[in-house]
Structures are given as structure tokens and as C-alpha cells.
Amino acid sequence: MRYLITGGCGFLGSNLAAEVLRNGDELFVFDNLYRTGTENNLTWLKSLGKFKFYHSDIRSYNDVENVILDSKPDVVFHLAGQVAMTTSLDNPRLDFEINVIGGNNVLEAVRKFAPNAIVTYSSTNKVYGDLEWVEYLETKSRFIAKGYEQGFDENVPLNFQSPYGCSKGATDQYMLDYNKMFGLKTIVFRHSSIFGGRQYATADQGWIGWFVKQAIDIKKGLLKEPFTISGTGKQVRDVLFADDLINCYFSAIRNIDSTQGKAFNIGGGYNNSLSLLELFGELENSLDIKMDFTRLPVRQSDQKVYIADITKANEIFSWAPLISKATGLQRMINWVGTV
Ligand SMILES: NC(=O)c1ccc[n+]([C@@H]2O[C@H](COP(=O)([O-])OP(=O)(O)OC[C@H]3O[C@@H](n4cnc5c(N)ncnc54)[C@H](O)[C@@H]3O)[C@@H](O)[C@H]2O)c1
């Protein structure tokens, strides 16, 4: 099998790329090395095996067409993207070019030159908007979404909000439409927060990694001032460890007859949900530290609660996460400690 991974030097892309190499399949990696840490991931991948790397830009149709013609992929994992909500608010045009034009470049080049390829798209729960119409209860440590305690399924109405929500949502819908209109074998994964090795987290993206880094810095005595959080800290997300994401992608493509043309909510589910305050509690226990923080105003367009209902993925391609949030967190502490 020939795998092309756009954004293949990023966090998720490099984890998927490593799995392709482990399986002995042919790998083609496309990335413009925009994200911090991508050069390290590229070096790491080179240490694992042979593949072809294209230092190219997803915004350029020519770049994308060239790689599709050259790699003749059986599978395209399309992950290249502008990934931070905050950046999309600072520079909505950049966000649009990378996420919408980039996504359409992939679809068009595949439609013309590799129409039998499977294309997966890494979308986001932000396609459901801020979910401000839900009623929220508040406990000491977290918000609870009344009526959606076990999570939000794919029947929640789409509601694109923020440039990031619009740009990811547009390509999410184009992916499904190219299946209906042109018969492309597309699959959409709407992700919750994912964490794990090869993630170079920032304050704007990768919250588990970011706060684990604050905790490790406290442990090492490097953080003298309290760190900041946005909002109350009671906001909740379901978290998924990267290894479970790899299983998800490969299971879905093995079952392409039943997965194509569909969108799936993919996250850790209710059992792996966590608020910021609960995360801090876990880190304090695990590292024997005290996490002091100060509060900033709530971030624009921040969901109070998002937990994925992952029943559809389980029913259609028998996928469920296997790594608990506690195990994942311990592995994340180990990874961040080495970076
Ligand atoms: N990690 C998560 O929790 C999460 C959640 C929801 C959705 N997603 C989606 O999954 C995908 C991968 O996310 P990630 O966490 O690995 O992020 P990441 O930032 O580590 O990876 C994105 C990759 O895209 C590359 N890229 C950016 N602009 C590019 C351009 N113009 N041309 C070519 N490459 C470009 C970056 O260099 C990077 O390697 C993204 O599309 C993201 O929106 C991730």
C-alpha cells in the first residue's frame, strides 16, 4: 500500500507515518514544516525507515497535484492544517487558505489523478459550534452538559463558529460531498483533544501537553510565577491518546465499504473526560507538586463541555479507545520530560 500523509511531520501525522513504516508500507510525507517541532519529527521519522519527503505547501494546487501524480497513493491521510483557534482569529485569511483551499486542493488532485484513493480528513468537534444552547450544570471541578452527559453524537446540528470552525467545517463538508458527487472514498473524523508523543504543545494548541509542561517546570523549579488559564478551569474535554487514534485511522480504512462518505466523532469518550481543574489534580498527585495559576477571561468561542459520543465509530468499524486517560497522562509526562 502507498500512503501519502499531508502534515506528516506534525503530531498526528508523524505518529501515523511511523505506523506506516512499522507495517512496511510505502510512505510519502508532505509538509511545509510550519509548525514548531516538525523538523525534529522529520529527523525522528528518518531514523525509523525510508520514505519520500516533499517540502511543499498545501495552499499551492501545483504542489499538491505534483505529489499526487508522483506518489500515486492508495490512501491519503490529509492532516496538514492551521490548527489553532487563536491563530484563526488573528489571521482568518491564513486559516482559510490553509484549511479550505488546502483541503480543496487535495480533493481536486485526488479526483483528477487518484480517484480510487481513500482520503481521510482530520476534522474537529468545533463544527458543532460553541454549544451555547445546551444547559450546563456546575460542580466543584467541572461543567456538565445537561442531557448530553455521555457525549455529543453526530446528529448534533452543525454550527460553524469562529474562522477555525468555518474553515475546518467547510472542508469537512466538502469531503463528504466529494463522496456523494464524485464517488471519492472519503472519511471524516471529528476529533476531540488528542495527546501523546511527538506533540510539541503550545499555549494555543495541545492543552494537555502544555499543562504537563507547566507541571514539569514546577517540579524542576523552573516556573517561579503562577501560570495562567482561561476561564474557570471547569471546561471539560474528552481526551484520546495518539496510539488509539492510529488504530482508529487504520480500522476505518480497512472497513472502507462501510466508512466512506461518513463523519465520525472520535475522542476518548465519557470515561476519558477531564476538566482543567481535574487535570491539575492528577498532575499534583502524580508529580507531588502544587499547581498555582491565575485566571484570564474565558477564551472566545470556547466550548464549556465537549465529550464525543463514540458509539457510531464503534458500531461501524468496531473502534474504541484502549488507553485510559491515567495511562496516557503518565506516558505524556514521560514524553514532555524528554523534550
Ligand atoms: N491534535 C488534536 O487534538 C486535533 C484536534 C482536532 C483536529 N485536529 C486536526 O488534525 C490535524 C493534525 O493536527 P496535529 O495536532 O497533528 O497538528 P500539527 O500542527 O502538529 O500538524 C499539522 C501539520 O500541518 C503542517 N502544515 C501547516 N500548514 C501547512 C501548509 N501550508 N502546507 C503544508 N503543511 C502545513 C504543519 O507543519 C504540521 O506538520 C489538523 O488538521 C488538525 O486540525 C487535531
Side-chain angles (χ1 to χ4, degrees):
M1 292 275 277
R2 299 165 71 86
Y3 287 84
L4 167 64
I5 307 183
T6 74
C9 297
F11 160 45
L12 300 179
S14 61
N15 274 287
L16 288 163
E19 180 69 7
V20 172
L21 291 174
R22 277 192 288 269
N23 293 338
D25 287 311
E26 276 187 79
L27 173 66
F28 303 85
V29 170
F30 179 111
D31 205 301
N32 72 346
L33 304 180
Y34 167 78
R35 173 77 187 245
T36 311
T38 44
E39 293 193 8
N40 294 345
N41 286 342
L42 179 59
T43 307
W44 174 70
L45 282 176
K46 282 181 180 163
S47 75
L48 301 182
K50 286 215 175 314
F51 60 93
K52 186 157 180 188
F53 174 60
Y54 304 83
H55 190 176
S56 302
D57 197 315
I58 205 75
R59 290 170 290 180
S60 154
Y61 179 74
N62 278 347
D63 282 8
V64 177
E65 184 177 297
N66 285 343
V67 75
I68 295 289
L69 285 169
D70 191 59
S71 63
K72 301 180 192 66
D74 298 305
V75 177
V76 180
F77 291 143
H78 174 46
L79 293 100
Q82 193 302 106
V83 298
M85 162 76 73
T86 43
T87 309
S88 84
L89 290 164
D90 291 342
N91 194 342
R93 175 70 199 182
L94 177 75
D95 179 78
F96 171 80
E97 287 177 2
I98 298 176
N99 289 349
V100 185
I101 296 178
N104 198 259
N105 286 343
V106 171
L107 283 169
E108 274 298 280
V110 169
R111 181 177 74 82
K112 289 183 192 156
F113 302 111
N116 293 320
I118 296 171
V119 183
T120 71
Y121 180 57
S122 311
S123 183
T124 166
N125 60 46
K126 287 301 294 178
V127 299
Y128 301 120
D130 302 351
L131 301 169
E132 72 283 353
W133 47 269
V134 177
E135 192 184 331
Y136 295 96
L137 309 175
E138 198 172 338
T139 70
K140 239 176 100 184
S141 71
R142 62 160 68 193
F143 293 118
I144 295 170
K146 204 171 161 207
Y148 295 90
E149 288 81 358
Q150 295 301 313
F152 294 94
D153 70 17
E154 295 80 357
N155 295 318
V156 169
L158 296 178
N159 180 16
F160 303 165
Q161 281 172 306
S162 81
Y164 177 74
C166 290
S167 66
K168 292 297 289 186
T171 293
D172 171 310
Q173 293 299 290
Y174 269 119
M175 287 278 161
L176 299 177
D177 199 58
Y178 268 58
N179 173 263
K180 283 196 209 108
M181 296 296 129
F182 306 113
L184 290 198
K185 294 181 214 155
T186 53
I187 314 171
V188 170
F189 302 115
R190 294 182 182 148
H191 291 307
S192 304
S193 303
I194 306 158
F195 69 115
R198 314 312 314 174
Q199 185 174 33
Y200 291 87
T202 66
D204 294 319
Q205 209 254 345
W207 64 282
I208 298 258
W210 177 251
F211 290 119
V212 167
K213 182 167 174 356
Q214 308 312 304
I216 289 178
D217 284 352
I218 292 171
K219 180 81 184 167
K220 289 181 177 163
L222 297 174
L223 204 67
K224 306 288 180 212
E225 300 290 319
F227 60 90
T228 58
I229 68 166
S230 301
T232 58
K234 294 187 182 183
Q235 54 271 48
V236 173
R237 299 288 182 271
D238 60 323
V239 299
L240 183 73
F241 197 70
D243 295 24
D244 279 324
L245 176 116
I246 293 171
N247 286 336
C248 167
Y249 278 49
F250 284 89
S251 308
I253 63 171
R254 273 196 302 275
N255 291 282
I256 190 63
D257 288 344
S258 44
T259 52
Q260 64 173 295
K262 295 190 176 73
F264 299 95
N265 291 350
I266 300 294
Y270 176 73
N271 292 337
N272 295 303
S273 64
L274 203 56
S275 73
L276 259 62
L277 297 182
E278 290 164 358
L279 171 67
F280 299 161
E282 303 265 344
L283 291 170
E284 287 180 341
N285 287 340
S286 162
L287 293 170
D288 193 22
I289 52 167
K290 178 87 188 76
M291 295 194 69
D292 288 325
F293 58 86
T294 54
R295 293 192 170 94
L296 300 172
V298 176
R299 271 188 178 170
Q300 237 180 314
S301 208
D302 199 26
Q303 295 155 331
K304 276 199 166 81
V305 175
Y306 186 86
I307 297 173
D309 180 335
I310 50 180
T311 310
K312 183 176 171 187
N314 187 255
E315 284 175 358
I316 294 190
F317 58 99
S318 308
W319 173 81
L322 300 174
I323 298 172
S324 70
K325 61 184 174 190
T327 305
L329 201 53
Q330 201 48 55
R331 292 197 198 168
M332 193 65 187
I333 291 170
N334 296 342
W335 155 253
V336 176
T338 64
V339 179

